[in-house]
Amino acid sequence: MKRVIISSVFIAIVMLLTSCGGAASIEGTWKVDPSSLDLVLGDGFPEEMKQSVEAAKAEAKSDKASNEMDKITLELNEGGVAMLKHADHAEDTQEFKWEQKGDVLNLNGEIDGEKFNANLDIMSASADEVTIGLTGESLLEQVKKERPEMMEQIPPMFDVEKMVKGAKVSIKMKKA
């Protein structure tokens, strides 16, 4: 009986780790699937701005955007080196660092002279598909920490805390 309980606990732990994505490495070459973009605006997002955001979402999911995104790959290589490549512009390849810690993907470095350090949630991962995303609250926290000067550029009429509350975004990447 004791052996059955221990075996059941071990199986449950393995299943939990696998379902959380903590055990699945996302190393490899990926392409973003713009049709999978899921964006939920925050509770306090101004009504007068929602139309333009909805138009931007539609544009991101358009055939034109899909054709352009199909030319871009994100390579997450062994040793923590990431490469962002465009099939038509090999000279513009960007190199930066990546690290996976459980269900968090950290990307950091510099692209076009702008430093960045972003943590994205790995919401699901399999051998051929990864869904990444973040909440509005997480994004705001990261901006405050990494780019506080951006907060100073927001007009005082916007309550950013309310705008991001309940907001979330996710997108799928497929194995290239």
Side-chain angles (χ1 to χ4, degrees):
M1 183 65 166
K2 185 177 181 182
R3 196 175 291 162
V4 170
I5 293 172
I6 292 172
S7 296
S8 297
V9 169
F10 178 75
I11 290 170
I13 290 170
V14 169
M15 288 175 60
L16 179 63
L17 288 174
T18 303
S19 69
C20 291
S25 172
I26 61 170
E27 187 176 299
T29 302
W30 302 94
K31 288 187 177 196
V32 171
D33 175 10
S35 70
S36 70
L37 175 67
D38 183 23
L39 172 64
V40 176
L41 297 176
D43 299 337
F45 201 85
E47 287 295 323
E48 60 275 9
M49 295 173 68
K50 286 183 179 180
Q51 265 188 334
S52 56
V53 171
E54 291 302 321
K57 274 177 38 177
E59 172 76 20
K61 292 183 175 190
S62 71
D63 288 341
K64 181 181 176 185
S66 183
N67 290 337
E68 189 60 29
M69 289 303 294
D70 199 43
K71 298 175 185 178
I72 298 171
T73 57
L74 174 62
E75 292 180 12
L76 302 175
N77 299 313
E78 187 176 342
V81 175
M83 306 287 283
L84 186 62
K85 297 180 177 184
H86 192 289
D88 295 342
H89 304 284
E91 70 280 3
D92 291 335
T93 295
Q94 301 287 320
E95 183 177 316
F96 49 95
K97 299 195 180 306
W98 78 281
E99 182 178 18
Q100 179 181 353
K101 287 187 180 179
D103 291 336
V104 175
L105 170 61
N106 175 262
L107 303 171
N108 68 75
E110 190 174 303
I111 292 184
D112 295 332
E114 292 287 326
K115 290 185 179 188
F116 68 93
N117 184 20
N119 289 312
L120 304 169
D121 295 324
I122 302 169
M123 302 168 83
S124 66
S126 69
D128 60 349
E129 187 174 276
V130 174
T131 302
I132 56 173
L134 72 162
T135 65
E137 292 91 347
S138 174
L139 175 60
L140 181 59
E141 180 182 316
Q142 290 181 57
V143 169
K144 284 180 177 180
K145 179 180 177 190
E146 299 295 329
R147 302 287 304 271
E149 71 279 4
M150 290 179 73
M151 297 302 297
E152 296 169 8
Q153 297 172 6
I154 299 172
M157 65 184 180
F158 294 116
D159 185 342
V160 178
E161 300 285 339
K162 285 184 180 177
M163 289 175 70
V164 302
K165 185 176 177 158
K168 60 184 177 179
V169 64
S170 66
I171 197 158
K172 290 181 183 177
M173 298 188 304
K174 296 186 178 194
K175 199 68 127 183

